[in-house]
Structures are given as structure tokens and as C-alpha cells.
């Protein structure tokens, strides 16, 4: 009789070790190894795909044109890079309760409306619970098939029988394969079941959406393990405390990354926000110190966000630095540059930075905006409400060029802004835009001269 082989897997990152370890050498997590049975045979799953084993000249490989399926929900199509590519595997990650199932159901409803047969596999809710949700979001169609099942083998059987145009697995953590002994949701199961689903989808050209929960403590095998296996990774941002939801493409083999889609959670499901800049600036206070607008670029789309700063005298020995929506370290760096280069001494002040609306802006192009907001709050002088500021700040206090200046400034002009403070090196390439005064900045000192 064959002996069943086991290995130990880190439940955070999937690192495999033949013996138990206290600390994971890969992700440095403690006490996260669990023993899992690994299937000894190659289980036929990997041989399912027709690898033909011969190299082909790239010119001879044909592409199936028009193999993108447009979902009809513009914000999803955008993050996917123009629709769902045939045979692709898409991971939708996000915290529980953020709206993954709702979005999937709405998307399926739209696709079914186009006459496509779609299959929604759920291991989390009963059929009647799914029906209740579908009533709420208005999803009803005879082409929208619902399967409540958690066994991978049975799911694959049903997909073969039904041969749908799109499959959604909600969620990958509930699916288990009978060939492995470990519990559903463990790294071994998540990896095995998703790799078989992905191979299956590639073989039959059926796109598959895998819904995956990410928990803060990482107690369930996170979708991180899957990121390298799938073609596209979409993550939901914005906590369930906010009404809006942002879905961002972290990885996309068939489109731009960092592209975002913005939705608002309403009582009848998720509603698209086609004009996010207006949405994020809706509650902007006018003529208040510490607030400035920055045209940030998310993927290919410019989005105007408001950066707020509050700089107030501290009575603590170590002043507080809090940054929400921007990189904390970047803020510390900018405070140091302001202190050293501009003689703006913020060392005795608490500093709070917030990007209004709860958006995250990671790119260095917002540096100048953060500096402007801090300076404005520190000096208690409001920045003109029709001015936008953008540029990267270097350690010597120089202002550096940023990418895609044109689209950003156009978006600002479209929303009625009439003055922009931009890096000098960029200004040369900037096409003239009507009613937009361009103010060229090459250092932080020049910023302070021109800001108010
Ligand atoms: P859900 O899609 O179940 O989240 P996930 O699948 O990511 O765990 O979303 C559930 C949340 O959304 C829940 O808090 C209720 C809320 N919601 C609405 O506000 N409106 C709606 O129409 C629906 C269907 C859900
Ligand atoms: Mg769900």
C-alpha cells in the first residue's frame, strides 16, 4: 500500500516544509505551519490540459479575435482591461462583507441578459439566500444558473455538463478536493482546487472568477497564495464602513494594472460611480487651510482627490504623525525636507494627513500636494480652491517630473480648476489648455512663493 505523504504548509504564504517550523522562513510569520496530506498521484488533473509538447514559431500561433466578453458594467470592464478574456482566471479578493458576492451576482445578471449562460457556484450561501440577494439587486434570468456545491470534483462535473460561458466560484476557500485530506480553506486545498479550476478553464476556454476572502489576521489561507497562478487579480478596497467600494487591478496579464473601478453600495446593490473625481471632491470645504486637490492617476484614469492636513502644536514629547491614504514614510520624509530645506519647523507639531473619501494614493506625484497641505495648515493660510498641485519631491527639496501630466491637467480643467502648480521639467511637454494657468515649480522654495 502506498504511504500517504504529508508536508507542512505555512497558512499565510504557502511555504512548504517537510517538517514543522515555528517561524516561516518566507513570510516570517510565527506558529503558522499546519500538516497537510499531499496527493501522491498526479491525480490526472494536470494531464487534463492538452499540452502538445512542441515548440511553435510565434507567428504560427493564432489568436481568437474578439474573445473578450464585455460585462456591460463599465467599471468592471475597465479594471479588466476591456472585458473578460476567454479562458482567463480572475481572482477577486477582499475582506468579508465588502461586496464581492453582490458584484459577482450583478455581473452575472448582466451577462445572462446578453443571452450568455453563466454559472454561479456558491459554497457560502444556500440557494434561497442567493435568491434573496438576487431579488434585492434585481438579478433574474433563466440563463443565470446557481449551483450550491463545495466538492471540486462535482463542480467540475457540472461545469462540463452545463458548459457555461462564465463561471464564478464563491468562494475558493469553501471548495475542497476529495483527493486531499486537509480542511477546505487550508493552503493545500486552496492551491490544489484553484490550480485545477484554472487548468480546466484554460482547456475549455471558460473564464473563471475565483472569489477569495482576505482576513486581517490571515487565519484563512489568503488569496495571496493564488496571485501568481491567476491571470488577473482584483482587490476590493475601501472598508465596509464607507459607502463607496473601489476595485483595483493589482495584476493583469491582459490589461493595465492599478486601474480602478468605483462603486457605491446602495440598498439595491452596487452602483457604478462613472465620475469619481466629482464624487471624491463632493464635500470639499472651500477656503479652509490644510486642504488641496491633487490630480492623481489610478491606472490610466486621472482622479482628483483632496488631501487634507492638520498641523497643530503638540504637548507630547514625541509628536504624532498619522497618515491615512498616503504612505506614512513618505510623509516623514517630506516633513524632514520641509524642515531642512525650507526652514519650516514642524518638529513641535502633531501632523495628521488624510485623503478625503478614504482613497489610497501611493504614487510619489502627490508629494507636492502633501507638502502644500501641511504648509497651508501650519501657516493657517488657505490655498485657492481652484488650484491643483502635483509633483514628486526629492530629498534636496527639488521638484521632479511625473508621468502623464497631460491627462491629469485636462481632468482638472474639466472640473473647473484654473491654476496648476507643476514641475518645471514637465511644463515644457504640457499642451496649452484653455483657461488653465500653469505655474512652473522647480523647488520647494518656489512652491512656497507661489502657493498662496
Ligand atoms: P457581500 O456581497 O455579501 O460581501 P462579500 O461577498 O464580499 O462577503 O456584501 C454584503 C454587504 O453588502 C452587507 O454588509 C450588506 C451590503 N449590501 C447592501 O448594502 N446592499 C445590497 O443591495 C446588498 C446585496 C448588500
Ligand atoms: Mg460573499
Amino acid at each position: 500500500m502506498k504511504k500517504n505523504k504529508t508536508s507542512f504548509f505555512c497558512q499565510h504564504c504557502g511555504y512548504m516544509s517537510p517538517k514543522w517550523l515555528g517561524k516561516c522562513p518566507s513570510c516570517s510569520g510565527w506558529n503558522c505551519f499546519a500538516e497537510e496530506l499531499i496527493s501522491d498521484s498526479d491525480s490526472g488533473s494536470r494531464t487534463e490540459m492538452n499540452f502538445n509538447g512542441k515548440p511553435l514559431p510565434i507567428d504560427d500561433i493564432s489568436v481568437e479575435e474578439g474573445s473578450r466578453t464585455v460585462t456591460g458594467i463599465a467599471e468592471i470592464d475597465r479594471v479588466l482591461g476591456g472585458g473578460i478574456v476567454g479562458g482567463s482566471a480572475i481572482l477577486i479578493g477582499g475582506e468579508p462583507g465588502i461586496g464581492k458576492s453582490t458584484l459577482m451576482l450583478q455581473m452575472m445578471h448582466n451577462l445572462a441578459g446578453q443571452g450568455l449562460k453563466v454559472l454561479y457556484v456558491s459554497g457560502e450561501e444556500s440557494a434561497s439566500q442567493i435568491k434573496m440577494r438576487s431579488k434585492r439587486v434585481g438579478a433574474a434570468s433563466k440563463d443565470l444558473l446557481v449551483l450550491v456545491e463545495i466538492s471540486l470534483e462535482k463542480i467540475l462535473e457540472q461545469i462540463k455538463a452545463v458548459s457555461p460561458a462564465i463561471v464564478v466560484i464563491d468562494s475558493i476557500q469553501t471548495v475542497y478536493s476529495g483527493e486531499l485530506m486537509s480542511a477546505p480553506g487550508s493552503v493545500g486545498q486552496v492551491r490544489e482546487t484553484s490550480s485545477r479550476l484554472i487548468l480546466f478553464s484554460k482547456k475549455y476556454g471558460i473564464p473563471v472568477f475565483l472569489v477569495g476572502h482576505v482576513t486581517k489576521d490571515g487565519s484563512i489561507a489568503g488569496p495571496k497564495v493564488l496571485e501568481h497562478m491567476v491571470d488577473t487579480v482584483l482587490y476590493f478596497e475601501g472598508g465596509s464602513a464607507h459607502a463607496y467600494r473601489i476595485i483595483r487591478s493589482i495584476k493583469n496579464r491582459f490589461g493595465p494594472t492599478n486601474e480602478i473601478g468605483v462603486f457605491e453600495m446602495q440598498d439595491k446593490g452596487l452602483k457604478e460611480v462613472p465620475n469619481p473625481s466629482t464624487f471624491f471632491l463632493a464635500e470639499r470645504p472651500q477656503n479652509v487651510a490644510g486642504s488641496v486637490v491633487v490630480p492623481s492617476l489610478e491606472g490610466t484614469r486621472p482622479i482628483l482627490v483632496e488631501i487634507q492636513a492638520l498641523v497643530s502644536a503638540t504637548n507630547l514629547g514625541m509628536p504624532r504623525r498619522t497618515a491615512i491614504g498616503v504612505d506614512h514614510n513618505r510623509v516623514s520624509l517630506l516633513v524632514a525636507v520641509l524642515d531642512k530645506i525650507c526652514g519650516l519647523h514642524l518638529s513641535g507639531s502633531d501632523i495628521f494627513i488624510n485623503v478625503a473619501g478614504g482613497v489610497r494614493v501611493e504614487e510619489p506625484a502627490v508629494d507636492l500636494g502633501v507638502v502644500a497641505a501641511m504648509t497651508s495648515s501650519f501657516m493657517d493660510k488657505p490655498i485657492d480652491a481652484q488650484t491643483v498641485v502635483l509633483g514628486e519631491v526629492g530629498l534636496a527639496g527639488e521638484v521632479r517630473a511625473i508621468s502623464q501630466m497631460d491627462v491629469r491637467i485636462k481632468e482638472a480643467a474639466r472640473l473647473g480648476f484654473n491654476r496648476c502648480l507643476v514641475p518645471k521639467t514637465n511644463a515644457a511637454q504640457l499642451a496649452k489648455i484653455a483657461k488653465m494657468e500653469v505655474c512652473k515649480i522647480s523647488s520647494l522654495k518656489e512652491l512656497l512663493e507661489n502657493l498662496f
Side-chain angles (χ1 to χ4, degrees):
M1 208 179 89
K2 263 191 191 166
K3 198 171 165 283
N4 283 332
K5 266 208 309 204
T6 62
S7 267
F8 292 83
F9 288 92
C10 168
Q11 300 294 304
H12 294 172
C13 68
Y15 183 87
M16 190 183 89
S17 159
K19 57 182 197 322
W20 189 85
L21 298 173
K23 186 184 177 191
C24 174
S26 168
C27 70
S28 306
W30 285 95
N31 214 5
C32 47
F33 276 83
E35 186 173 18
E36 290 178 13
L37 201 68
I38 42 180
S39 63
D40 42 10
S41 68
D42 204 9
S43 63
S45 57
R46 266 159 275 277
T47 46
E48 251 175 48
M49 193 156 164
N50 295 329
F51 295 110
N52 74 1
K54 279 200 207 102
L56 280 179
I58 195 157
D59 284 350
D60 296 355
I61 302 173
S62 60
V63 189
E64 290 152 40
E65 283 298 338
S67 55
R68 273 187 198 263
T69 313
V70 175
T71 65
I73 300 179
E75 298 293 299
I76 301 186
D77 289 333
R78 182 203 310 277
V79 286
L80 290 174
I84 308 165
V85 174
S88 65
I90 300 142
L91 173 69
I92 310 258
E95 285 169 30
I98 200 149
K100 301 180 294 297
S101 307
T102 309
L103 182 67
M104 285 298 105
L105 206 59
Q106 287 182 270
M107 185 189 78
M108 301 292 260
H109 166 68
N110 251 26
L111 289 165
Q114 298 174 24
L116 295 169
K117 202 196 266 180
V118 288
L119 179 63
Y120 180 77
V121 183
S122 178
E124 304 209 321
E125 287 159 284
S126 69
S128 68
Q129 284 170 331
I130 297 170
K131 176 73 190 174
M132 269 161 62
R133 186 200 295 269
S134 74
K135 272 195 181 148
R136 199 170 167 188
V137 302
S141 168
K142 65 172 176 31
D143 288 325
L144 203 174
L145 304 175
V146 174
L147 172 67
V148 178
E149 182 55 77
I150 58 170
S151 153
L152 176 73
E153 286 74 21
K154 288 191 182 145
I155 293 173
L156 291 179
E157 212 172 274
Q158 288 303 323
I159 300 178
K160 259 188 208 156
V162 172
S163 81
I166 313 263
V167 177
V168 171
I169 308 288
D170 189 0
S171 67
I172 191 66
Q173 275 110 354
T174 57
V175 182
Y176 81 96
S177 160
E179 285 167 19
L180 298 183
M181 294 300 284
S182 47
S186 61
V187 172
Q189 285 282 10
V190 168
R191 209 180 4 213
E192 173 69 11
T193 51
S194 40
S195 92
R196 286 187 46 196
L197 280 163
I198 292 165
L199 283 177
F200 186 90
S201 93
K202 295 254 183 288
K203 183 177 173 190
Y204 294 99
I206 305 172
V208 54
F209 282 81
L210 304 174
V211 173
H213 293 291
V214 236
T215 49
K216 286 204 176 106
D217 65 346
S219 56
I220 306 175
K224 287 269 173 221
V225 183
L226 302 177
E227 278 181 6
H228 68 279
M229 293 163 64
V230 295
D231 299 305
T232 304
V233 180
L234 308 180
Y235 266 101
F236 260 107
E237 290 177 3
S240 23
H242 288 97
Y244 71 86
R245 304 281 189 272
I246 294 176
I247 183 160
R248 187 185 291 270
S249 61
I250 305 292
K251 158 180 172 181
N252 194 351
R253 288 190 180 141
F254 315 112
T257 49
N258 247 344
E259 195 75 77
I260 68 169
V262 186
F263 294 92
E264 199 181 346
M265 183 60 99
Q266 296 185 343
D267 58 349
K268 287 199 172 65
L270 289 158
K271 193 170 166 286
E272 296 171 66
V273 177
N275 213 335
S277 297
T278 337
F279 185 71
F280 291 130
L281 296 183
E283 289 162 311
R284 183 164 66 109
Q286 302 275 324
N287 296 319
V288 171
S291 156
V292 70
V293 175
V294 176
S296 142
L297 200 70
E298 302 295 336
T300 56
R301 174 155 68 161
I303 290 183
L304 268 60
V305 292
E306 180 198 354
I307 296 186
Q308 296 188 322
L310 181 69
V311 179
S312 65
T314 184
N315 40 27
L316 298 172
M318 202 156 117
R320 273 216 250 187
R321 304 276 186 261
T322 306
I324 305 169
V326 286
D327 183 14
H328 187 268
N329 292 326
R330 202 83 205 159
V331 173
S332 307
L333 181 151
L334 295 171
V335 169
V337 174
L338 267 177
D339 185 284
K340 180 93 179 168
I341 311 288
C342 305
L344 214 63
H345 302 300
L346 302 173
S347 52
S349 309
D350 286 333
I351 300 176
F352 305 92
I353 309 279
N354 182 31
V355 181
V359 215
R360 275 203 74 75
V361 278
E362 294 287 353
E363 52 164 5
V366 300
D367 284 357
L368 210 61
V370 174
V371 169
M374 287 195 293
T375 315
S376 161
S377 175
F378 182 69
M379 294 182 166
D380 215 3
K381 279 192 204 166
I383 299 168
D384 171 43
Q386 305 309 321
T387 299
V388 293
V389 176
L390 77 166
E392 182 181 342
V393 174
L395 287 186
E398 80 278 17
V399 174
R400 291 162 170 263
I402 55 168
S403 63
Q404 310 230 32
M405 183 61 95
D406 262 21
V407 280
R408 299 171 196 252
I409 299 299
K410 272 194 199 123
E411 173 77 356
R414 192 177 70 77
L415 287 170
F417 290 85
N418 57 23
R419 184 165 178 255
C420 60
L421 275 67
V422 300
K424 198 171 197 164
T425 28
N426 271 133
Q429 315 145 5
L430 195 60
K432 194 157 168 44
I433 298 170
K435 293 203 201 111
M436 178 63 85
E437 181 196 336
V438 179
C439 186
K440 299 165 200 165
I441 307 286
S442 61
S443 68
L444 279 194
K445 284 208 174 97
E446 283 181 33
L447 172 77
L448 300 189
E449 285 158 17
N450 290 290
L451 193 56
F452 305 107

